[in-house]
Amino acid sequence: MAGLGRAFVLMAPALANPKIAIVACTDIRPEARSRFASEHCALAYASVEELCDDPQVEAVYVATPHQFHAEHVRIAARHGKHVLIEKPMALSDAECREMISEAANARVQLVVGHSHSFDLPVRRTRELIASGVFGALRMITAVNFTDFLYRPRRSEELRTESGGGVIFNQAPHQVDVARLLAGSRANSVRAITGAWDRARPTEGAYSCLLAFENGVFASLTYNGYAHFDTDEWMDWIAESGLPKNPAEYGAAQALLKNCKTHQQELVLKNARNYGGENAPATPPNSARWHQHFGVLIASCERADLRPMPNGVAIFGDDARSFDAIPRPAIPRAEVIDEFYDAVVCGVAPLHDGEWGRNTMGVCFAMLQSARSGQDILLDR
Ligand SMILES: NC(=O)c1ccc[n+]([C@@H]2O[C@H](COP(=O)([O-])OP(=O)(O)OC[C@H]3O[C@@H](n4cnc5c(N)ncnc54)[C@H](O)[C@@H]3O)[C@@H](O)[C@H]2O)c1
């Protein structure tokens, strides 16, 4: 495990998977390293290089900040380690291409995830579309309203050039989901972004229209400044699959009001992060439903399909029905399964380097479209 922050906390329940053994970690925060070492009876290293020098390590989950993704994948690949890299894959197309060739040269697997296209209800929706029962897919609608911009942040998370803002951080989820459901190549992108808070000067909101080669189009909307919370439309199940308490309205903004400087914000973030003194306890897996990324509707000729944390709601011509999915035994097991199948069984992963690069191609085009006011055509 490289990087023991929020992403690691979200992935941690998946580590109970008997397919894998956790042997070592690295993080620049000593408190995170020591908690990990004692919780997992594992080794803790001070750098990614040292972690990758350990011959026991076969594969590395890179969940470090965005600006380090390309470098950390390069280090891991050159040490012969397979890599699961968090989204966003990287900050430029050149970095994505370099990561793909580093992995290919080293003959190691590169899987890009987690993103919400791994979620079982999204995959089930894809199966329902592919069954043909509801006619052709025509349109995808994704809407997510959160308090993203007002959670405690590292200063680079608030600077687009360092990988900050919602295009790098959140759009890869919606783009991945839309690409998976559309099942076709994205042709063109038109986006408008919003950066509405001068104290947090990066994109906090966007709307994007994405056209696919097969005629499907997707509208993707994200508001990270939101007062409304789309989890209300997901039966108050949060992105993590855990129940959310609506009485905690405005909690992120209230907490942040006490921070006057970036340094104070970082202290607050670290205290609440893994290994920090105010880190929340990990809820039991039995409390979880499937994860999600807000409202998603796939409109087919004869039905609208709506993935929910507990299944897929089907609004057909004559009736509505519900395709229920049981609770996950292990959250994010789909991610570990895809990575394991690639590394151990040699099965080509769906979310390989080229998949991740294509998703980032759409995200880069969103930024370009917002700057230029133009449609951006995506090349092959
Ligand atoms: N898939 C998801 O649902 C999801 C959720 C959250 C974050 N993420 C992704 O995970 C990655 C990390 O984000 P986060 O929210 O966990 O950030 P975070 O700030 O909470 O955690 C980052 C961790 O990396 C450590 N770190 C920083 N520099 C390092 C270095 N050079 N070597 C080793 N460790 C280093 C930090 O100390 C911190 O513990 C990002 O790519 C982010 O987009 C994904």
Side-chain angles (χ1 to χ4, degrees):
M1 317 301 302
L4 302 173
R6 175 77 188 143
F8 166 71
V9 170
L10 291 168
M11 189 63 87
L15 305 181
N17 195 320
K19 289 178 173 174
I20 52 175
I22 303 302
V23 293
C25 75
T26 181
D27 197 286
I28 54 170
R29 291 183 300 117
E31 68 273 22
R33 293 199 299 267
S34 52
R35 177 167 167 197
F36 184 95
S38 65
E39 262 182 11
H40 294 279
C41 296
L43 293 164
Y45 294 108
S47 73
V48 174
E49 285 88 348
E50 286 174 54
L51 174 79
C52 292
D53 274 338
D54 184 336
Q56 273 199 103
V57 172
E58 286 180 85
V60 183
Y61 167 51
V62 176
T64 51
H66 303 171
Q67 67 273 27
F68 301 127
H69 284 187
E71 179 191 341
H72 290 164
V73 168
R74 184 188 322 122
I75 294 170
R78 289 192 182 178
H79 283 77
K81 314 296 182 190
H82 304 282
V83 187
L84 175 63
I85 173 74
E86 262 296 346
K87 58 82 204 162
M89 182 177 176
L91 303 186
S92 69
D93 190 56
E95 282 188 342
C96 293
R97 279 188 279 117
E98 187 215 318
M99 292 155 87
I100 293 167
S101 75
E102 288 283 355
N105 292 343
R107 295 175 186 275
V108 295
Q109 294 288 346
L110 176 64
V111 172
V112 185
H114 156 268
S115 82
H116 285 283
S117 63
F118 283 89
D119 297 349
L120 215 51
V122 172
R123 293 191 162 210
R124 181 72 190 124
T125 304
R126 175 69 204 146
E127 285 168 15
L128 292 171
I129 293 167
S131 74
V133 170
F134 305 106
L137 175 68
R138 298 296 195 203
M139 180 175 90
I140 299 163
T141 307
V143 180
N144 203 358
F145 277 43
T146 74
D147 56 11
F148 176 87
L149 218 70
Y150 295 110
R151 299 172 197 157
R153 295 283 170 204
R154 289 175 270 107
S155 58
E156 68 264 33
E157 290 180 281
L158 303 173
R159 288 195 308 266
T160 308
E161 63 279 15
S162 307
V166 295
I167 300 291
F168 282 120
N169 216 314
Q170 302 289 268
H173 287 300
Q174 282 184 331
V175 172
D176 255 14
V177 167
R179 291 185 57 221
L180 183 89
L181 294 185
S184 176
R185 193 177 78 83
N187 264 343
S188 74
V189 175
R190 177 71 177 96
I192 298 180
T193 57
W196 303 328
D197 184 343
R198 269 199 250 167
R200 304 173 88 70
T202 185
E203 299 81 20
Y206 61 79
S207 279
C208 167
L209 200 57
L210 185 56
F212 292 91
E213 204 163 59
N214 61 0
V216 173
F217 59 95
S219 71
L220 315 175
T221 291
Y222 191 92
N223 182 359
Y225 303 105
H227 299 83
F228 174 64
D229 182 343
T230 28
D231 288 341
E232 182 165 343
W233 291 344
M234 304 304 289
D235 298 337
W236 287 115
I237 301 295
E239 179 180 347
S240 61
L242 289 165
K244 182 183 254 187
N245 182 359
E248 288 173 6
Y249 182 85
Q253 287 90 336
L255 194 67
L256 207 60
K257 279 206 177 94
N258 304 323
C259 295
K260 303 289 176 238
T261 64
H262 285 314
Q263 186 52 32
Q264 284 175 347
E265 187 169 340
L266 184 62
V267 170
L268 176 70
K269 175 173 175 136
N270 286 344
R272 295 163 58 81
N273 218 337
Y274 183 76
E277 62 213 26
N278 299 325
T282 311
N285 284 350
S286 57
R288 291 173 197 269
W289 279 105
H290 293 276
Q291 307 199 348
H292 69 82
F293 201 66
V295 175
L296 178 64
I297 304 171
S299 299
C300 301
E301 287 170 304
R302 291 188 292 282
D304 290 318
L305 310 176
R306 187 173 168 212
M308 294 293 289
N310 56 346
V312 182
I314 301 170
F315 301 82
D317 276 344
D318 304 316
R320 52 188 288 183
S321 58
F322 195 77
D323 188 339
I325 302 177
R327 281 182 193 268
I330 301 175
R332 294 196 176 178
E334 303 86 357
V335 183
I336 303 296
D337 285 348
E338 190 170 317
F339 191 43
Y340 178 92
D341 287 349
V343 169
V344 178
C345 312
V347 178
L350 170 67
H351 297 87
D352 64 4
E354 284 299 342
W355 171 278
R357 179 181 168 223
N358 282 317
T359 288
M360 290 318 296
V362 174
C363 298
F364 302 142
M366 287 169 72
L367 285 172
Q368 200 187 338
S369 173
R371 274 194 297 264
S372 66
Q374 307 283 322
D375 280 17
I376 305 298
L377 299 182
L378 300 165
D379 60 29
R380 270 170 203 284

